[in-house]
Every structure is written in C-alpha cells, then in structure tokens.
C-alpha cells in the first residue's frame, strides 16, 4: 500500500511516519508513505498557498492551484483509490472505515488547514472527507496521522501478532478485556486469578464477559450499533 500525504507542515508528520509501527511496516515493504510539502507546488514567488476568501469572510483559504498541481502530479504516476481530505466537517472516522482503507492500494491524504480550502477542490478532486471527532484542531495533520496509523497497522504483517489487530477494541464493536503482565502481585495489587489458572476455555469466557461488561458500562452506544 502506498499513501501520499499532502501538507503545509511536513515537519509535523515526518517524525511520526518514520517511527515505530509505521517505520517497521515501511522497512518490511508493506507500506510506502510519502509526505509532500504543498509549498513545493505553488507558483507564487513567496511560496504562498493561501489567499483571502471571496465575500469578505475572516481567515485564509487554501488556493486551488498548488493542491490541483500536486494531486495531478501524483495521479499521473498511478491510480488512486481515494483522495481523502481531513476536515472537521467530514464524516467521522471509525474502525470500519480504517478496515476499508487498509484494503486499498494507493491513497492520497490532503491535510486541511487555515479556514479551509477552496471549495472547488472538494467538489472536483476529493473523494472522501474525514473528521476524527467533534472538536476542532488547528490543522488536519493530526487527523491524517491518526488515519494513516490506524490503516497501516491493519496491513497483515505490520504488527507482530496479527491476531492482536483482530482482537482490538472496536474490531467487533466491543471494548477489549483488561490485560496484565508480570508480576502477578505488585504491591498487593493482584492479577485476576482466572488468568493464572491455565484453563484456556475459562479464560476465553472471562475475556468475553469482561469485554461485554466494559462495553456496557463505558460505551453502551456500541452495543446498539449493529
Ligand atoms: Cl480532520 N481537522 C481539523 N482541523 N479539526 C478536526 C478534524 C480535522 N477532526 C476533528 N477535528
């Protein structure tokens, strides 16, 4: 899978995509992640990529030309399954969306910024508008990072134990059971005895029970989702 991220803040994302699971997935050849500085595509001699909005509204708006040129240059090289735009007024990102994206070959993620982008870009070039929740960030970079992280970790082989992506919270609309590691007694804080019993069937049953109870208590909305 190849992901091309377009941003005015490349330094905000470069450390992120070259760390931990994303770095390993790239080293293993499972994912290629490229960051494109939108300013490299402007024809403005001051490297500006935004301008005042028509209508006299407040804030600045990202212009069509640099975005169009960057996306066109990428599309010339290969076909893209989706051109994603991160924006607070997009569809709320969730696990089923991450699952779907992880099956794609090539994705573009355009990070929103400032007041917004010229709406013609959204009409003509964007295929998917995504928000990561009902709060406002200063830019779409953190949202892009969240999307890329959640998608790449689903590529088989990208996390060591494939099983662990399948048993994630949300993967079957339930929160995960609590987990513990050694020692079994830390300052008198005990690990649930069942986990030390060696009885796999009972442990599985406990895990499912915990998963259900935690979901009922913390996220009852998930139980009515499907
Ligand atoms: Cl995608 N962008 C911004 N600026 N704020 C957000 C968001 C995106 N998702 C939630 N808040």
């Amino acid at each position: 899978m190849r992901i091309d991220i377009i941003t005015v803040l490349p330094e905000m994302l470069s450390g992120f995509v070259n760390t931990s699971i994303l770095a390993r997935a790239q080293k293993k050849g499972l994912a290629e992640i490229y960051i494109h500085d939108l300013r490299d595509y402007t024809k403005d001699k001051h490297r500006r990529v935004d301008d005042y909005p028509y209508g006299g509204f407040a804030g600045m708006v990202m212009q069509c030309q640099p975005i169009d040129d960057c996306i066109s240059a990428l599309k010339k090289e290969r076909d893209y399954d989706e051109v994603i735009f991160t924006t607070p007024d997009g569809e709320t990102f969730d696990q089923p969306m991450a699952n779907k994206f992880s099956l794609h070959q090539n994705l573009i993620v355009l990070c929103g910024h400032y007041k917004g982008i010229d709406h013609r870009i959204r009409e003509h070039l964007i295929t998917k508008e995504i928000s990561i929740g009902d709060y406002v960030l200063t830019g779409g970079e953190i949202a892009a990072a969240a999307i890329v992280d959640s998608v790449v970790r689903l590529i088989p082989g990208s996390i060591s134990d494939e099983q662990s992506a399948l048993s994630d919270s949300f993967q079957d609309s339930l929160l995960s059971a609590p987990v513990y590691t050694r020692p079994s007694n830390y300052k008198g804080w005990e690990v649930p005895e069942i986990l030390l019993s060696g009885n796999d069937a009972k442990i599985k049953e406990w895990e499912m029970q915990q998963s259900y109870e935690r979901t009922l208590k913390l996220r009852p909305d998930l139980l009515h989702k499907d």
Side-chain angles (χ1 to χ4, degrees), residues 130-200:
I130 292 185
S131 160
I132 58 165
D134 289 339
Y135 44 84
V136 179
L137 303 166
T138 51
E141 281 73 17
I142 291 172
I147 294 165
V148 171
D149 185 279
S150 66
V151 168
V152 171
R153 67 186 291 284
L154 290 170
I155 302 171
S158 107
I159 49 183
S160 45
D161 181 4
E162 248 184 73
Q163 207 45 46
S164 73
L166 295 174
S167 64
D168 285 341
S169 279
F170 293 105
Q171 202 51 276
D172 26 54
S173 304
L174 288 178
L175 303 184
S176 297
V179 293
Y180 303 87
T181 187
R182 287 180 292 186
S184 64
N185 182 331
Y186 175 74
K187 298 200 310 193
W189 305 343
E190 303 269 13
V191 168
E193 224 174 288
I194 180 78
L195 295 176
L196 312 174
S197 69
N199 184 333
D200 290 344

Side-chain angles (χ1 to χ4, degrees), residues 103-121:
L103 300 173
H104 285 146
Q105 256 337 291
N106 300 309
L107 297 175
I108 291 175
V109 183
L110 170 65
C111 300
H113 228 67
Y114 310 112
K115 184 84 185 149
I117 63 172
D118 192 305
H119 204 72
R120 290 167 290 186
I121 292 291

